[in-house]
Amino acid sequence: MGASYTAGKTTTGAFLRPQGYAYPTGLNLGAGPVTAVDYLVVAGGGGGGAGHGGGGGAGGLLSGSTPVAQGTPYAVTVGGGGPGGVYSTSTSVNGLNSVFSSFTAIGGGYGGGENQPSYVNRVGGSGGSGGGGANSTQGSSPGGSATPGQGSAGGTGSGGNGWAAGGGGGAGGVGAANPTTQTGGAGGAGTPSPLSGSAVTYAGGGGGGGGGTAGGAGGTGNPSGTGAILGAGNAGAGVTNTGGGGGGARNANGGNGGSGIVIIRYSGAQGAAGGNYSFSGGNSIHTFTGDGSFSSNTGSYSIN
């Protein structure tokens, strides 16, 4: 009788096999269970202010690495952007939070606005990044504060007639203040991330509304979130699935904030489920543009 072989396991759970052994037909050696991932969680951007409006703050941004348990589903929530303010009717609104597992990115703060005859919402809202302060006849208006580790503060809007509003904060920089000119403050810079498979910049702030010279530019990664000048109509919306803040407007409507995103990445072949799957640069990537769940596979072998 030939020699027998007793299968063993390595410390990682992979089966040992004698030299020259081939797996039987129908037995597939798949990717091992995922035990750790890189993550990017970006919340929805804040809406831009109406009237003499400040730019919306970018959605909060969190990025890092974390262990995951085999076979455990982790909830994913992707926050929507906050609506921009409607001139003389409604104020702008904060963006909504995005969540992966225990990590919660806070929605961007709304841009301050001076909606006649009310002046109570001229200060930028606090959030992941703060919204820009409005230009106000009641005096200069500070930008909103940011959540530590997630973003930056909004810029201060000018006081008096004819000046302009502050830009919304971004994940990579504060919104620009506007103390003396008629150009709206620029939105704060976003932060680049490679987790999608290419370098993409997320969470740029919205530009503040201009007094007559120019609206503020959206922060890097948020080119459409521009502020509008007097007589030029409504402001631009933040970029979708980047958490960009909406632009502020002058005597018009503010732009809507951009929705957020959640991206989960790990090395090697697909070993988990959830979101939209892609493979790039030796990494598996799960991208969520809406709510869902992420779960590592429970084993590495399957039978056809």
Side-chain angles (χ1 to χ4, degrees), residues 37 59 97 126 137 151 181 184 226 233 240 255 267:
V37 299
N97 298 348
S126 296
T137 57
T181 74
T226 55
T240 301
S267 179

Side-chain angles (χ1 to χ4, degrees), residues 149-270:
Q150 297 195 19
S152 308
T156 299
S158 331
N161 294 317
W163 307 124
V174 299
N178 192 306
T180 58
T181 74
Q182 294 195 37
T183 300
T191 294
S193 171
L195 262 65
S196 69
S198 59
V200 177
T201 298
Y202 300 90
T213 302
T220 54
N222 189 34
S224 62
T226 55
I229 63 172
L230 181 64
N234 300 330
V239 177
T240 301
N241 297 135
T242 70
R250 181 66 185 263
N251 292 7
N253 300 340
N256 296 334
S259 55
I261 195 168
V262 173
I263 301 176
I264 301 168
R265 183 187 72 174
Y266 50 89
S267 179
Q270 183 174 3

